[in-house]
């Protein structure tokens, strides 16, 4: 369908926005060799800027939405936004490459997205410009050394958009203003409806045959006309914009039906004929009812997707800061990294930070979904939005506002709610044809009934136009995705986009990493041996002097490693009371997958696999002795340690299964889902873990770099695979899988490559994510079925003249409200 460009704009309208020209306007300019008129100097300036930048393609891309209007007024003193003191509320000013979210006034359609993104990308220093049409927000990344923020804001103003740094409170204010405006139109329609009811009662009671018939008709005209123009303006606004852009909007059938009914009533009133009836009450009543429906839809949508606002409400607005030895209550935006914040019992932690003093328990359920408070003491990390339960904490701020874990969660939820699942594409293609079909059915109904009388034909045709509703079909997917992503966030399940939910619902094979996913990831030392001596159980025999001497050297080296085995060694040192202070380490070398080597007080120490230590030339592999006849050592892991001149120490370790892991796997297998354990550990160790899980499939002795290849092989066999890992050495496999699920730490919500991030380490969340995806897809299909069933039932009734326009107006919001209500049911699935 051809789209309208300004070259074909009405000569009586503004060349840029198409609105009527103001009387006496002198705003004109030469555009592409032709004299053009504009409604104001703002439209003139914007149009000149668009053509000067070579962006006139904007006009050809204009699609459905609100009408173009004169450009909004720019914020004053744009240069203030160049100051770091102002920018630090919204961006990280420590770097030259900066990123900001802007709330943009004037965005109304996909053409605006194209114009803004292409208009900014031509500026030197602008690295990325990405528009979120749903949220009317723009994310810009720029090099502050090459271009100032004020110039970016100025360029937006030049092409017709006013932008300010995004503030949730101002965005909420704009939403409330829109709701208030709709409420005013609803109130006026209600006032006119109540008065017209009295006139209708009089006419139906016999006044239509008396001398006051004409008077009542004219009073009805005086009440219905301003109602149509004011209360019906949103429908005409959307319909006109759709026609200008060559797009049939959902408002068009409503506008056509209201206009035709008004025109016929106007004819009867002005002509004074006694063969027809007026339908002023019908015009006003169905406008009132439709506005009520839209208002209720708005409230229902807002409640259904209120998860983002509830997350925003978790962020305190002020904090108690310790400055110069005294307490000061300051706005959160004035806190700088490194300051000390005082958190009293019962208060929410205002920033991400590290506890420097105090002991307490913190409720982190908003992050992890776990209700059990977490103990916090000096050195522990705390997150913004969590609740301090008992003691007083002093916290050194490390991240504020959007940089906190809570801020990143909010961004993920917003991105997911504004994303589009693949099933939504079908709805987007159908809706315009749906509207065209509605207009055709309305015209056909009018023609069919015209032989029985103009009034019946008019009422039947209008009823078809009003009752046919593609709105529910259009919101079937986004409503379900928005509610599901909000519920997931509340449960500690962060879904990065709606398409993930659709893919996850079709998964038939879950692959779990072992260490840190199915197991606790914290191996514990359960036994030891020195050289070729006998194995000893740690809890029964303790450590002798030779073992303590070796362990002291090994522990000092392991302080410099982040491997889980190092944590087990250091934990053992603490348990047996070995101090590691005053030991000097040098020439430390870490070989991934093999071990660590270095000089400890001048002595060579190596920790790692037996084969690797042998290759270091430190010692031969110790004899295995009688390990096989000790049940607690069968298939145990081991840490081989060698100290030059002192001998070898071998530590037996065990990594325990996470609580509930076996139950989660059993439930998956009961649902017909294949489960595989993927690990780099020895096959014997992996089989022991698999047996504890219920004899699941095993792929063992796989290096981190090869996990991606194993996932690809499973997919090549026709399986739809979800990979569950810790997001560190599993990153390539997470990306390769159809769905990548990363077990988060409660604060790391931006694990690269993962489609879903679990905020806690509870494996039950994996099951919940799968159940949520299936419920979401089932709800989407139900919503589509509701929309189709509504139209299949109601449209034939309207074409048969069984339904009046008023009944049609009452019925039209029902399908939309049913879709919203059905989507909202997702929130109760875990209750």
């Amino acid at each position: 369908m051809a789209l309208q460009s300004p070259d074909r704009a009405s000569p009586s309208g503004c060349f840029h926005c198409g609105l009527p020209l103001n009387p006496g306007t002198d705003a004109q300019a030469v555009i592409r060799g032709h004299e053009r008129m504009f409604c104001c100097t703002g439209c003139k300036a914007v149009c000149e800027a668009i053509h000067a930048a070579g962006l006139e393609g904007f006009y050809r891309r204009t699609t459905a939405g609100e009408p173009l209007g004169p450009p909004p007024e720019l914020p004053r003193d744009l240069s203030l936004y160049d100051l770091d003191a102002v920018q630090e509320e919204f961006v990280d000013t420590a770097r030259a490459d900066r990123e900001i979210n802007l709330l943009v006034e004037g965005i109304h359609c996909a053409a605006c997205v194209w114009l803004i993104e292409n208009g900014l990308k031509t500026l030197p220093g602008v690295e990325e410009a990405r528009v979120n049409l749903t949220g009317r927000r723009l994310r810009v990344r720029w090099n502050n050394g090459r271009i100032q923020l004020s110039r970016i804001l100025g360029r937006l103003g030049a092409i017709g958009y006013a932008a300010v740094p995004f503030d949730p409170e101002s965005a909420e204010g704009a939403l409330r203003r829109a709701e208030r405006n709709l409420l005013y139109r609803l109130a006026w329609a209600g006032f006119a409806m109540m008065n017209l009811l009295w006139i209708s009662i009089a006419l139906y009671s016999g006044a239509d045959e008396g001398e006051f018939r004409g008077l009542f008709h004219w009073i009805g005209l005086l009440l219905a006309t301003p109602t149509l123009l004011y209360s019906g303006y949103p429908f005409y606004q959307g319909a006109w914009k759709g026609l200008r852009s060559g797009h049939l909007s959902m408002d068009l059938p409503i506008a056509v039906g209201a206009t035709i009914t008004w025109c016929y009533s106007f004819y009867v009133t002005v002509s004074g004929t006694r063969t027809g009836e007026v339908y002023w009450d019908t015009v006003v009543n169905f406008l009132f009812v439709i506005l009520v429906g839209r208002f209720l839809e708005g409230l229902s949508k807002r409640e259904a997707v209120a998860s983002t606002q509830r997350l925003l409400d978790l962020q305190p607005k002020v904090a108690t800061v310790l400055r110069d030895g005294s307490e000061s209550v300051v706005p959160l935006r004035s806190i700088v990294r490194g300051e000390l914040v005082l958190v009293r019992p019962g208060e929410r932690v205002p920033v991400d930070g590290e506890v420097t003093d105090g002991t307490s328990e913190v409720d982190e359920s908003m992050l992890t979904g776990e209700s059990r408070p977490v103990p916090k003491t000096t050195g522990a990390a705390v997150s913004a939005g969590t609740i301090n339960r008992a003691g007083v904490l002093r916290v050194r701020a490390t991240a504020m506002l959007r940089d906190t874990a809570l801020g990143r969660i909010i961004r993920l939820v917003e991105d997911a709610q504004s994303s589009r699942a693949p099933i939504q594409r079908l709805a987007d293609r159908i809706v315009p044809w749906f509207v065209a079909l509605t207009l055709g059915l309305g015209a056909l109904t009018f023609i069919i009934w015209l032989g029985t009388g103009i009034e019946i034909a008019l009422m039947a045709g209008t009823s078809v136009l009003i009752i046919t509703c593609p709105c529910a079909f259009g919101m079937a997917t986004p409503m379900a995705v928005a509610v599901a992503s909000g519920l997931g966030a509340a449960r500690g399940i962060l879904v990065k986009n709606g398409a993930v939910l659709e893919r996850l619902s079709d998964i038939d094979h879950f692959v779990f990493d072992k260490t840190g996913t199915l197991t606790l990831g914290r191996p514990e030392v359960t036994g030891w041996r020195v050289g070729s001596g006998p194995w000893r159980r740690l809890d029964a025999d303790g450590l002798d002097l030779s073992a303590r001497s070796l362990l002291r050297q090994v522990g000092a080296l392991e302080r410099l490693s982040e491997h889980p085995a190092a944590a087990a060694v250091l934990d053992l040192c603490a348990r047996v009371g070995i101090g590691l202070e005053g030991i000097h380490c040098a020439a430390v070398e870490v070989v991934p997958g093999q071990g660590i080597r270095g000089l400890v007080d001048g002595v060579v120490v190596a920790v790692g696999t037996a084969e690797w230590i042998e290759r270091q030339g430190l010692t031969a592999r110790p004899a295995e002795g009688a390990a096989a006849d000790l049940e607690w050592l069968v298939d145990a892991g081991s840490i081989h340690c060698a100290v030059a001149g002192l001998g070898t120490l071998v530590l037996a370790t065990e990594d325990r299964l996470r609580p509930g892991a076996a139950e989660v796997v059993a439930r998956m297998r009961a649902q017909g889902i294949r489960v595989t354990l993927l690990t780099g550990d020895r096959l014997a160790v992996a089989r022991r873990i698999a047996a504890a899980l219920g004899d699941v499939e095993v792929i063992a002795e796989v290096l981190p770099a090869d996990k991606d290849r194993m996932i690809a092989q499973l997919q090549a066999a026709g399986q739809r695979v979800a990979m569950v890992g810790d997001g560190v050495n599993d990153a390539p496999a997470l990306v390769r899988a159809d769905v990548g699920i990363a077990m988060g730490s409660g604060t790391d919500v931006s694990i690269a490559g993962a489609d879903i991030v679990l905020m806690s380490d509870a494996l039950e969340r994996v099951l919940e994510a799968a159940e949520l995806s299936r419920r979401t897809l089932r709800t989407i299909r139900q919503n589509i079925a509701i929309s189709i069933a509504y139209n299949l039932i109601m449209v034939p009734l309207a074409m048969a003249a069984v339904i009046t326009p008023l009944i049609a107006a009452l019925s039209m919001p029902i399908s939309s409200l049913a879709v919203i209500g059905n989507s909202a049911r997702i929130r109760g699935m875990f209750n």
Side-chain angles (χ1 to χ4, degrees), residues 524-528 535-543 572 575-576 632 652 654 656:
E524 297 180 357
V525 177
T526 55
W528 58 277
W535 282 99
R536 299 184 182 180
R537 190 71 178 261
L538 182 65
D539 53 3
D541 303 320
L543 292 175
L572 176 60
R575 284 159 55 191
V576 298
W632 60 274
E654 181 180 356
R656 303 182 190 280

Side-chain angles (χ1 to χ4, degrees), residues 104-124:
V104 185
E105 182 181 352
I107 294 180
H108 58 82
C109 65
C112 295
V113 175
W114 179 88
L115 178 60
I116 291 173
E117 292 181 347
N118 287 274
L120 292 185
K121 287 176 183 177
T122 59
L123 294 177

Side-chain angles (χ1 to χ4, degrees), residues 89-243:
E89 298 183 11
F90 310 99
V91 303
D92 183 1
T93 57
R95 301 185 305 170
D97 289 334
R98 300 182 180 183
E99 184 176 295
I100 191 170
N101 281 306
L102 300 173
L103 184 64
V104 185
E105 182 181 352
I107 294 180
H108 58 82
C109 65
C112 295
V113 175
W114 179 88
L115 178 60
I116 291 173
E117 292 181 347
N118 287 274
L120 292 185
K121 287 176 183 177
T122 59
L123 294 177
V126 175
E127 299 170 355
E128 182 185 28
R130 193 161 46 131
V131 175
N132 181 334
L133 179 59
T134 304
R136 304 294 195 268
R137 294 201 296 278
L138 165 66
R139 181 176 297 175
V140 180
R141 191 171 73 246
W142 79 101
N143 188 303
N144 201 57
R146 299 181 60 197
I147 188 171
Q148 295 292 309
L149 181 58
S150 61
R151 187 179 171 192
I152 297 174
L153 297 177
R155 179 57 175 269
L156 286 169
I159 58 177
Y161 304 92
V164 294
F166 173 68
D167 182 352
E169 292 183 2
S170 65
E172 180 74 7
L175 180 61
R176 291 191 181 279
R177 285 195 299 272
E179 288 182 352
R180 187 167 59 248
N181 185 39
L182 179 62
L183 197 58
Y184 288 157
R185 299 181 191 277
L186 174 62
W188 174 262
F191 165 77
M193 182 188 70
M194 288 186 292
N195 284 278
L196 274 170
L197 283 176
W198 292 109
I199 294 175
S200 300
I201 291 173
L203 291 173
Y204 295 150
S205 300
D208 59 332
E209 301 295 337
E211 58 182 312
F212 296 108
R213 169 187 168 93
L215 174 63
F216 284 132
H217 285 184
W218 281 100
I219 294 175
L221 172 64
L222 293 176
L223 286 171
T225 302
T227 303
L228 182 68
L229 296 177
Y230 176 64
S231 298
Y233 175 75
F235 308 110
Y236 286 106
Q237 187 182 46
W240 169 243
K241 178 56 186 174
L243 291 175

